[in-house]
Amino acid sequence: MKQNMLLKKFLFLIFIFFFITPFFSEGQSNQRIQKQFDNALLYYKNQDFSSAIGELNKIIEKDSGFQDAYLLLSDVYKEMKNAELEIKNLILAQNIAEKPLINFYLAEAYFSLANYKNALLHYKIYFESGNISEERKSEIARQIENCKFAINAKKNPVDFNPQRLSDNINSNNDEYWPVISLDQKKLVFTRLIRIPGRIPQEDFYFSELNSAGWNKAQPISEINTHQNEGAEILSADEKLLFFTACNRYDGKGSCDIYYSRFTNQKWTQAKNAGVQVNTVNWESQPAFSSDNRFLYFSSNRNGGMGNKDIWKIEFKGFDPIGNIIWGEPENLGKNINTEGNEISPFIHPNNRNFFFVSDFHTGMGGYDIFTSKLSADSVFSKPVNLGYPVNTQNDEQGLNISADGRNAYFASARNENSGLDIYRFELDESIRPTPVTYAKTSVIDAKTKQAIRASINLVDLSESNNVRVEKTDDSGELLVCIPLGTNYAFNVSKEGYLFYSQAFRLEDVKTLREPYIFTIELHPVELGAEMNLYNIYFETDSFSILSKSEPELNKLIGFLENNPSLLIEIQGHTDDTGNQDKNEELSEMRAKSVAEYLVENGINKSRLSSKGFGQNQPVASNETEEGRQLNRRTTIKILGK
């Protein structure tokens, strides 16, 4: 009996050892692993990633099926920006047990490595897994489109061969935000100077191009302060500089837009652009149209479509004390702005091709550069991504593009020893903006040679209602950008003077030509004075006036209405092409057609006479097409006052 009792006790101990002890030990083991995992999680939250990795690897050595360890490891490596190891641990976790969300994280990691094929695969798996909110579905659908675009873009790269500018521009400091002048002979940029023990300093520098290359960049001392200045833009005439400064005593919000004027050969003290532009929010990264009409900028102000939007505001000149007169700010609308971020606007000097940066429009990932075509001042076409490798999976900054549409300037960190540097590359032909030339004029009195503040009209003859009105400055000077691909009427007028007429025939010009640089002499209204009009057009071998003549004829009507006592002779002139007698007859009929047009539009017939001179009074050689164009003209001569 006693032996039976001992046997039963022995068998019970065996049962405890072989069956109960393992469960007891497993519970203790699970508790230890959970404690280690909790420690790893704490290390992770405190960003002690090395200790977190150590703890998690210990857990995996004990229990290779502990899925949460792999998932936390993937989070650690994501924070460390090591996407390869993040992916490795996500795959190991997925092998233990399928979880739909792991596919999302795999897709995101592959996308960050520009492995768009695998990213697309996992985005699709996650999208089709179900139990996803509508908001998340929309996000995943957008990423799927990004992957498809990126795969195609890498198969069809655009030309891109960036060249670093010389050491006269770039240094061991960071250089960025380049702005190139119309003639491509001046460069303004921001330099970030790091001095040990001091806060980094952002200042403006400029350089000029000569036959030997870029001069050593010099600081713009009149604008630079002990605070930071950056994100600048230079007006086409180089007389107005807008830029961004943050947390200044006269600021309206976190970052504001400021401006400085170039007068008397130096830059004025910078002024805040005012409450129409700046709010209590963030305003930055200005761009200025070459016709001095609109300022574009990025802002996260109320009333936008997303986080940061691009806005524009009309520039109306200066008041008597030098403050800018503004219109009302306008959001650029849904073709440009999204629920994401749109920043870094740039309007090409042709005022038609608009560039900006977005993290939401379909692209390669991060911030990409896009372009849109502008018409009628406010209608933007659907944006086009500039393509790969201009855009990559990294964040791309905005471009500044030369007037000829050929060269783009940007900043990139491609040299480990010098940080951000400024580069130039030739834009792929598929994304080049329409080139522009420009007219740089100086208007003076023909007799006294004194400068005149005159009005200048530039009329696009393909859209006669597209009229730009400018005024020369106190020095009588003005620079006007002129896009190629159309013909223009160019008029200069001042009360008490005959107006000046010029034709810019650029309809068939596709590549950049030399700019028009000339002095215009306005003649006072007096007996015998003459003005040649070059924008009155007729049908070939006919005296029928073409509709594109209306801007010039209306200018003439306005002149006669403002000088109601004048008597004029309308003279017709031709080149020497064809029969001389026929040319005289044609010129006579054309002069009469102009007189009839004036009478039909309210000018008293008694004030007008007409005469045709044919080819007999050339003002230029008939040996060239340019000369023949000058000889084909209508002349207005003052016969009486």
Side-chain angles (χ1 to χ4, degrees):
M1 187 75 175
K2 187 176 181 180
Q3 286 180 335
N4 288 337
M5 291 291 296
L6 288 174
L7 180 60
K8 288 180 180 179
K9 187 175 182 180
F10 176 74
L11 292 173
F12 177 76
L13 290 174
I14 293 294
F15 176 82
I16 292 294
F17 183 78
F18 284 104
F19 294 96
I20 302 300
T21 299
F23 285 101
F24 177 73
S25 299
E26 184 177 340
Q28 287 185 324
S29 176
N30 286 339
Q31 289 176 355
R32 285 195 298 269
I33 288 175
Q34 187 60 50
K35 185 175 181 181
Q36 284 182 294
F37 184 80
D38 291 342
N39 288 338
L41 189 60
L42 185 61
Y43 288 136
Y44 169 74
K45 290 178 178 178
N46 292 328
Q47 295 191 319
D48 183 354
F49 299 135
S50 178
S51 297
I53 291 170
E55 285 293 307
L56 291 168
N57 282 333
K58 289 177 184 177
I59 292 171
I60 291 170
E61 286 178 9
K62 294 176 181 176
D63 184 356
S64 60
F66 195 90
Q67 188 182 46
D68 286 350
Y70 297 107
L71 292 174
L72 185 54
L73 268 175
S74 72
D75 283 341
V76 171
Y77 287 121
K78 182 177 181 178
E79 291 294 319
M80 295 174 67
K81 301 189 185 305
N82 189 333
E84 290 87 352
L85 288 178
E86 179 191 358
I87 290 169
K88 176 184 176 181
N89 282 279
L90 286 170
I91 292 173
L92 289 171
Q94 191 76 306
N95 289 339
I96 294 170
E98 286 276 344
K99 290 186 177 180
L101 196 57
I102 294 178
N103 283 299
F104 171 75
Y105 291 123
L106 277 169
E108 294 281 279
Y110 279 123
F111 192 87
S112 72
L113 291 175
N115 187 335
Y116 300 111
K117 184 178 179 181
N118 278 334
L120 178 60
L121 171 67
H122 287 281
Y123 279 131
K124 284 183 173 180
I125 294 173
Y126 179 63
F127 186 84
E128 294 165 2
S129 63
N131 298 321
I132 303 173
S133 69
E134 290 302 315
E135 182 179 354
R136 177 58 68 89
K137 276 187 176 181
S138 177
E139 176 188 346
I140 301 306
R142 189 170 63 84
Q143 285 295 79
I144 287 172
E145 289 305 308
N146 285 337
C147 289
K148 290 178 179 178
F149 170 84
I151 290 169
N152 184 64
K154 293 187 79 170
K155 288 180 180 177
N156 301 278
V158 297
D159 290 338
F160 184 66
N161 183 28
Q163 303 293 319
R164 181 180 181 271
L165 299 192
S166 74
D167 289 341
N168 280 344
I169 301 294
N170 293 309
S171 69
N172 290 332
N173 296 295
D174 286 344
E175 284 81 25
Y176 45 93
W177 215 271
V179 175
I180 193 73
S181 63
L182 279 179
D183 59 8
Q184 300 191 65
K185 293 182 179 179
K186 298 183 185 68
L187 184 73
V188 178
F189 60 93
T190 301
R191 175 175 287 170
L192 178 66
I193 301 173
R194 291 185 173 89
I195 300 174
R198 290 175 55 182
I199 297 174
Q201 178 72 34
E202 279 185 307
D203 282 331
F204 295 136
Y205 280 72
F206 77 97
S207 178
E208 295 185 306
L209 187 67
N210 57 34
S211 58
W214 291 104
N215 290 332
K216 188 73 174 177
Q218 300 297 319
I220 305 180
S221 56
E222 301 100 332
I223 301 178
N224 293 334
T225 67
H226 65 280
Q227 296 175 296
N228 291 329
E229 296 83 23
E232 76 287 355
I233 191 66
L234 191 65
S235 63
D237 60 8
E238 303 172 26
K239 294 184 177 180
L240 187 57
L241 184 82
F242 291 97
F243 66 94
T244 305
C246 303
N247 303 314
R248 292 199 171 183
Y249 74 93
D250 59 346
K252 314 300 179 186
S254 59
C255 288
D256 282 10
I257 293 171
Y258 289 75
Y259 68 94
S260 174
R261 302 173 70 183
F262 192 74
T263 60
N264 299 320
Q265 301 303 307
K266 65 178 183 180
W267 291 101
T268 62
Q269 183 176 349
K271 283 188 172 185
N272 189 291
V275 294
Q276 294 94 334
V277 173
N278 297 312
T279 68
V280 295
N281 300 97
W282 178 92
E283 280 79 30
S284 184
Q285 303 171 348
F288 198 47
S289 61
S290 65
D291 56 6
N292 290 5
R293 287 191 61 197
F294 293 106
L295 181 77
Y296 299 85
F297 59 96
S298 184
S299 173
N300 63 352
R301 65 178 62 199
N302 295 332
M305 301 182 67
N307 186 11
K308 293 175 181 175
D309 278 7
I310 297 175
W311 299 71
K312 75 170 184 179
I313 189 168
E314 187 176 2
F315 173 87
K316 296 185 174 183
F318 296 93
D319 68 16
I321 61 173
N323 293 321
I324 295 178
I325 303 169
W326 297 107
E328 293 297 322
E330 300 176 44
N331 189 286
L332 292 199
K334 63 181 181 180
N335 264 9
I336 299 298
N337 293 317
T338 68
E339 59 191 84
N341 292 284
E342 279 69 46
I343 59 173
S344 188
F346 171 74
I347 182 75
H348 187 262
N350 64 24
N351 293 320
R352 296 174 184 172
N353 293 94
F354 186 75
F355 296 81
F356 66 100
V357 171
S358 173
D359 66 355
F360 197 87
H361 286 288
T362 302
M364 307 290 294
Y367 281 101
D368 276 13
I369 304 170
F370 295 82
T371 184
S372 172
K373 288 187 177 179
L374 173 63
S375 61
D377 288 338
S378 59
V379 180
F380 290 87
S381 66
K382 185 178 179 180
V384 175
N385 189 295
L386 291 198
Y388 176 85
V390 176
N391 290 318
T392 66
Q393 76 271 24
N394 300 315
D395 290 340
E396 267 64 55
Q397 294 296 317
L399 300 179
N400 192 278
I401 300 172
S402 60
D404 61 7
R406 181 180 297 271
N407 295 308
Y409 295 79
F410 75 113
S412 180
R414 295 166 182 252
N415 186 326
E416 293 181 0
N417 297 320
S418 58
L420 278 171
D421 286 339
I422 294 172
Y423 288 77
R424 178 186 65 82
F425 71 95
E426 283 196 15
L427 278 170
D428 188 276
E429 289 191 12
S430 66
I431 53 177
R432 285 182 188 173
T434 304
V436 302
T437 185
Y438 60 91
K440 190 173 185 180
T441 65
S442 178
V443 183
I444 62 174
D445 185 297
K447 288 189 171 181
T448 67
K449 308 304 180 185
Q450 296 297 308
I452 297 175
R453 275 188 67 89
S455 294
I456 293 182
N457 288 13
L458 184 69
V459 184
D460 181 344
L461 294 179
S462 66
E463 306 175 56
S464 58
N465 61 340
N466 185 357
V467 182
R468 285 171 51 187
V469 181
E470 308 275 358
K471 282 191 177 294
T472 61
D473 61 17
D474 291 335
S475 301
E477 295 180 349
L478 181 71
L479 185 148
V480 182
C481 287
I482 309 172
L484 306 185
T486 191
N487 295 328
Y488 299 88
F490 180 81
N491 298 128
V492 182
S493 58
K494 173 74 174 178
E495 186 177 352
Y497 292 86
L498 303 181
F499 68 87
Y500 172 89
S501 170
Q502 172 70 281
F504 298 139
R505 297 180 175 92
L506 303 172
E507 185 175 15
D508 298 320
V509 179
K510 304 302 180 186
T511 58
L512 190 67
R513 55 154 291 151
E514 290 298 313
Y516 301 92
I517 300 176
F518 50 90
T519 298
I520 297 170
E521 295 186 351
L522 291 186
H523 292 268
V525 176
E526 58 187 10
L527 290 178
E530 297 181 355
M531 57 182 176
N532 293 318
L533 307 184
Y534 290 101
N535 295 292
I536 299 177
Y537 301 93
F538 303 88
E539 292 183 8
T540 304
D541 293 328
S542 170
F543 51 87
S544 296
I545 298 174
L546 295 174
S547 60
K548 63 181 179 179
S549 306
E550 290 180 4
E552 190 101 319
L553 289 168
N554 291 338
K555 188 77 177 176
L556 178 57
I557 291 168
F559 170 77
L560 293 172
E561 289 174 342
N562 292 332
N563 296 274
S565 64
L566 289 186
L567 306 178
I568 66 167
E569 180 179 70
I570 303 164
Q571 302 176 354
H573 300 275
T574 69
D575 59 27
D576 67 351
T577 304
N579 180 272
Q580 182 172 351
D581 292 338
K582 185 178 179 181
N583 284 339
E584 287 185 21
E585 180 184 356
L586 183 62
S587 65
E588 176 74 31
M589 296 302 294
R590 286 179 170 178
K592 286 182 178 180
S593 290
V594 172
E596 290 170 0
Y597 184 95
L598 297 179
V599 171
E600 290 171 1
N601 286 274
I603 303 301
N604 194 306
K605 185 177 181 180
S606 64
R607 300 174 60 189
L608 310 175
S609 63
S610 60
K611 188 174 182 179
F613 290 87
Q615 63 196 50
N616 298 317
Q617 293 186 356
V619 292
S621 170
N622 280 302
E623 298 299 316
T624 66
E625 176 55 30
E626 289 79 7
R628 289 190 291 273
Q629 287 177 354
L630 291 173
N631 290 330
R632 297 191 294 267
R633 68 197 188 279
T634 301
T635 300
I636 305 299
K637 184 176 182 178
I638 307 299
L639 298 181
K641 294 186 67 175

